[in-house]
Amino acid sequence: MIDALLIFPPSSVVMLAAGKGSRMNHDVPKQFIKLLGRPVLFHSLKPFLSVLPRASYVVVVPPGEVDSCSGMLRDWFPGVSFLVTEGGETRFHSVRNGLRLLKPEGIILVHDAARCLLTSELVERVVKCAAEKGTAVPTITCSDSVRLLSEGRSLPIDRDQVRLVQTPQGFNAEILLNAFKAEYRPAFTDEASVVEHSGIDVSLVEGEDSNIKITRPDDLERAESILNNRAD
Ligand code: CTP
Ligand code: MG
């Protein structure tokens, strides 16, 4: 509960749960699939609520699901208030819909509901860095060899120069809201790319190897085993 212990600016969390999960090929979008009896979205929210119990929470959900998701959130987390809104065509549009509900104050964290294995330590690191430096983007090193495709060939690149980008990404609210005035571009795959386009460099913080994005069916088994080990 760092915001209770230290003087941090007010914070807000935008939880992105509006995707279709097409690569998962499941009968419900992956953020609603259960792991250890609880939906992925529930696991994703838990670490934020434990670190930032007084933050404003915006949950972005699939079109037509605002009422059903509001009811689920009330059942899972009684007494916590959530703003729930519909997502858009791409992740960028979903973030923008969520940001419309927030005031330009304090810091804003944006997280993929599909990354349900993050820990409260990661949330704390991102909040601290965003509060100190204005931006915080968690990344991890790459242990595989990496090649770059170019003009029908492929070239090896130095993996020590590569970082894999995760969420939650945290920003001073004015920086993020200003950056999201931009027109959509396909290169906007995360908040860091949008903020950089507005002319601001981002600060990296250490991510977590276990903070995988649930994407394909195999990831469910892996995620459940990680959660199981933590429960022990
Ligand atoms: N997301 C969203 N709105 C969209 C697209 C994605 O809120 N229009 C969210 C997803 O719910 C997910 C996160 O952004 O939590 C990361 O996206 P991704 O892993 O690509 O999820 P999906 O788009 O749902 O999956 P897929 O690409 O396989 O369809
Ligand atoms: Mg997607």
Side-chain angles (χ1 to χ4, degrees), residues 125-140:
R125 265 201 306 285
V126 171
V127 171
K128 196 160 178 286
C129 179
E132 281 170 13
K133 299 184 176 162
T135 62
V137 177
T139 66
I140 54 170

Side-chain angles (χ1 to χ4, degrees), residues 180-201:
F180 267 82
K181 289 178 187 158
E183 287 286 313
Y184 170 67
R185 293 172 172 227
F188 290 160
T189 54
D190 66 351
E191 291 59 66
S193 53
V194 183
V195 165
E196 270 163 345
H197 180 73
S198 76
I200 289 178
D201 286 343

Side-chain angles (χ1 to χ4, degrees), residues 14-226:
V14 177
M15 180 63 68
L16 295 172
K20 294 191 174 85
S22 31
R23 285 168 289 181
M24 182 59 76
N25 205 13
H26 202 270
D27 52 357
V28 293
K30 58 190 181 181
Q31 57 274 30
F32 304 116
I33 297 175
K34 288 188 178 169
L35 294 176
L36 300 188
R38 298 285 207 172
V40 164
L41 174 59
F42 172 92
H43 293 290
S44 299
L45 282 163
K46 276 296 284 232
F48 290 96
L49 289 163
S50 75
V51 177
L52 303 166
R54 288 192 299 276
S56 303
Y57 284 89
V58 177
V59 183
V60 189
V61 302
E65 302 293 337
V66 169
D67 288 345
S68 61
C69 288
S70 303
M72 281 189 319
L73 291 164
R74 269 196 302 275
D75 290 347
W76 298 344
F77 303 108
V80 180
S81 67
F82 292 95
L83 298 165
V84 181
T85 190
E86 286 188 359
E89 184 60 27
T90 70
R91 188 184 178 285
F92 173 89
H93 297 97
S94 292
V95 178
R96 202 170 59 186
N97 288 1
L99 293 179
R100 284 201 182 105
L101 303 181
L102 295 176
K103 283 183 256 163
E105 63 174 26
I107 60 164
I108 300 176
L109 308 186
V110 182
H111 186 61
D112 293 334
R115 291 186 190 271
C116 63
L117 297 167
L118 82 163
T119 66
S120 50
E121 287 77 19
L122 177 59
V123 176
E124 289 183 12
R125 265 201 306 285
V126 171
V127 171
K128 196 160 178 286
C129 179
E132 281 170 13
K133 299 184 176 162
T135 62
V137 177
T139 66
I140 54 170
T141 55
C142 180
S143 41
D144 293 327
S145 294
V146 182
R147 299 184 79 83
L148 188 68
L149 303 184
S150 166
E151 295 170 0
R153 298 176 58 222
S154 73
L155 302 166
I157 55 174
D158 179 3
R159 69 171 165 229
D160 292 340
Q161 308 264 359
V162 172
R163 292 293 177 274
L164 305 178
V165 180
Q166 304 185 334
T167 69
Q169 298 185 5
F171 303 89
N172 166 283
E174 281 175 29
I175 290 176
L176 189 64
L177 294 172
N178 181 50
F180 267 82
K181 289 178 187 158
E183 287 286 313
Y184 170 67
R185 293 172 172 227
F188 290 160
T189 54
D190 66 351
E191 291 59 66
S193 53
V194 183
V195 165
E196 270 163 345
H197 180 73
S198 76
I200 289 178
D201 286 343
V202 297
S203 300
L204 305 186
V205 282
E206 192 65 37
E208 292 176 327
D209 287 340
S210 58
N211 182 22
I212 59 169
K213 187 167 65 151
I214 306 278
T215 305
R216 296 184 178 80
D218 281 358
D219 296 327
L220 296 173
E221 254 175 66
R222 193 169 157 211
E224 209 154 39
S225 114
I226 294 172

